[in-house]
Amino acid sequence: MSPVEIGILSVVAIVVMIYLGVYIPIALASVSFVTLWIVSERPILAINFLRQTIGDSVTEYEFATIPLFTFMGLVVSKAGLGKDVYDVMNQVFRRIRGGIGMATVGANAVFAAVTGSSIASASVFTKVSVPEMLRLDYNRRFAVGVVAGSSVLGMIIPPSAMLIIYSFVAEVSVGEMFIAGIIPGIVLALAYIVAIFIAGKVRPQAIGGRIEPIADEDLLGWGELFGKTAPIVGLIVIVLGGIYTGWLTPVEAGAAGSLAGLIIAVVRRRMTAGSFWEALLETGHITASILFLITAASFYSRMLGFVDLPNELREFLDSQNLSFFWIMVAYVVLMLFLGTLLDTASIILIVVPLFIDVIEPMGLSLIWFGLVTVIGAEIGLLTPPLGISCFVIKATLNDDRISLKDVFLGALPFAFVMLLVLIVIIRFPILTTYLLN
């Protein structure tokens, strides 16, 4: 078989195994092992590849970012900072049609800059924002759709687990990926807010809702505003400011942010010995699963290199004389298709090793390519049949008035906005590299 045929069959085998219920890293590692065995006809070679991969992959110092940022996100979530940010944003947008939706987007953007988790954002703001919008007679599809759409900001605005995973697969700096994600994340959040504003003007029935007057005495005072914003702003300054100025490495920023988040939770009396232990256990579970994923992806990447697929794929594209435009069209279409079948991490781990050796010789930035990859894959969080964020919202809401179909239909316009932002970022790579210059 040719390298291209091997690559196609390996991807098909991995997807089939995942849909049969096989754990993703097991599927990646199994297919890689069997492929190496068959191609080389030497099982010892496959065993040596696996042993070397395990020894080389997760022993790198930068992998410490994973447990540190995971722990920080869990602690911040337990400290109730998501509700605080929402209260502040709600006061800012209270007089605008669709204002609660805009407040949800703004709060999600800020919350994402600390937690880096789409699932955490979807869970928190489903409990905080959706009941309030339903109380004010907002369209139920818009109410859940805005939470689903804005929850994906957690995987784009740093610190993001997906940016960390991509940085290890592509062998680029975690710190540079974090800095590069700032502007695209802000652009996407602003695009959501503008889209809600336009929809409120053009199709107010799609938004619904009413503006509830708030008495002056019920407004947050300057002291309350400061108390609700200072902790999360401080964490953002410590983490992203430390990385951007070069005072802290990503690992040190994660450690400093974790300590600061823990202090905030203790001062607010939101952290008990029991909840602290729960956060540690959950951090361990998440870290182990991510490291297992990265190790399996590294094994898969080495297998592709052994069968010479990257060179074969590059030669095929060169022979077709495809322009940059058509290569990116094909890549985005592939990402959108896989997004309906697989989660974001799986897409990154499967697709990036295939295309990275095609992109790099073209003189394109791997940092920019990473943001294109993550945003393209994140659209899948809002589309059926997988749509993890939509399932999380439905499970968290536990409201019979809102079906899973309502969640998916509500999220669809936000998926379209994401696609438009993705096209803008492909057309203007400077949006991802500006802060790195």
Side-chain angles (χ1 to χ4, degrees), residues 49-311:
F49 261 84
L50 179 59
R51 184 179 61 193
Q52 186 177 8
T53 300
I54 295 173
D56 292 345
S57 56
V58 297
T59 57
E60 297 181 19
Y61 171 71
E62 288 76 10
F63 275 102
T65 56
I66 295 174
L68 291 171
F69 282 116
T70 300
F71 180 71
M72 183 180 69
L74 292 171
V75 168
V76 165
S77 181
K78 291 180 182 295
L81 294 190
K83 176 66 165 61
D84 288 350
V85 176
Y86 172 77
D87 290 340
V88 174
M89 291 292 179
N90 197 26
Q91 182 160 312
V92 172
F93 293 103
R94 70 186 186 281
R95 298 185 183 278
I96 306 173
R97 179 178 290 277
I100 296 183
M102 297 179 188
T104 301
V105 173
N108 246 320
V110 176
F111 193 63
V114 178
T115 62
S117 170
S118 294
I119 304 304
S121 295
S123 178
V124 168
F125 290 100
T126 297
K127 298 174 184 175
V128 171
S129 179
V130 174
E132 181 69 5
M133 281 193 274
L134 294 179
R135 185 181 70 83
L136 294 176
D137 301 324
Y138 275 76
N139 184 305
R140 67 179 187 274
R141 289 182 177 174
F142 171 77
V144 291
V146 71
V147 174
S150 58
S151 70
V152 302
L153 293 169
M155 290 303 183
I156 300 169
I157 297 176
S160 159
M162 293 304 110
L163 294 181
I164 293 174
I165 289 175
Y166 172 84
S167 68
F168 289 130
V169 174
E171 297 183 355
V172 296
S173 166
V174 175
E176 289 186 353
M177 284 302 305
F178 281 179
I179 294 171
I182 294 174
I183 292 180
I186 293 173
V187 168
L188 181 58
L190 290 176
Y192 281 158
I193 291 174
V194 170
I196 293 171
F197 179 80
I198 293 174
K201 295 291 185 182
V202 178
R203 291 193 62 205
Q205 69 275 14
I207 303 293
R210 52 187 169 84
I211 299 174
E212 186 177 57
I214 302 177
D216 291 341
E217 59 270 16
D218 293 332
L219 293 175
L220 297 174
W222 289 110
E224 290 177 293
L225 288 172
F226 178 80
K228 288 178 177 291
T229 57
I232 202 160
V233 170
L235 282 172
I236 294 173
V237 169
I238 290 172
V239 176
L240 298 184
I243 294 174
Y244 184 72
T245 59
W247 292 347
L248 299 174
T249 66
V251 175
E252 292 167 346
S258 296
L259 177 60
L262 186 59
I263 292 173
I264 291 170
V266 171
V267 169
R268 290 183 159 210
R269 298 181 180 179
R270 299 288 181 87
M271 181 64 67
T272 63
S275 59
F276 177 71
W277 179 245
E278 289 175 3
L280 288 177
L281 285 178
E282 193 169 351
T283 298
H285 292 156
I286 294 173
T287 301
S289 63
I290 292 177
L291 293 183
F292 194 9
L293 274 171
I294 293 173
T295 301
S298 178
F299 189 30
Y300 178 66
S301 179
R302 294 179 187 216
M303 179 274 290
L304 294 178
F306 179 79
V307 300
D308 203 33
L309 178 59
N311 289 332

Side-chain angles (χ1 to χ4, degrees), residues 312-332:
E312 185 81 10
L313 184 60
R314 183 168 63 248
E315 291 174 4
F316 171 76
L317 293 175
D318 289 342
S319 67
Q320 300 299 311
N321 293 318
L322 294 177
S323 65
F324 166 77
F325 173 80
W326 287 110
I327 289 176
M328 293 314 299
V329 167
Y331 186 68
V332 170

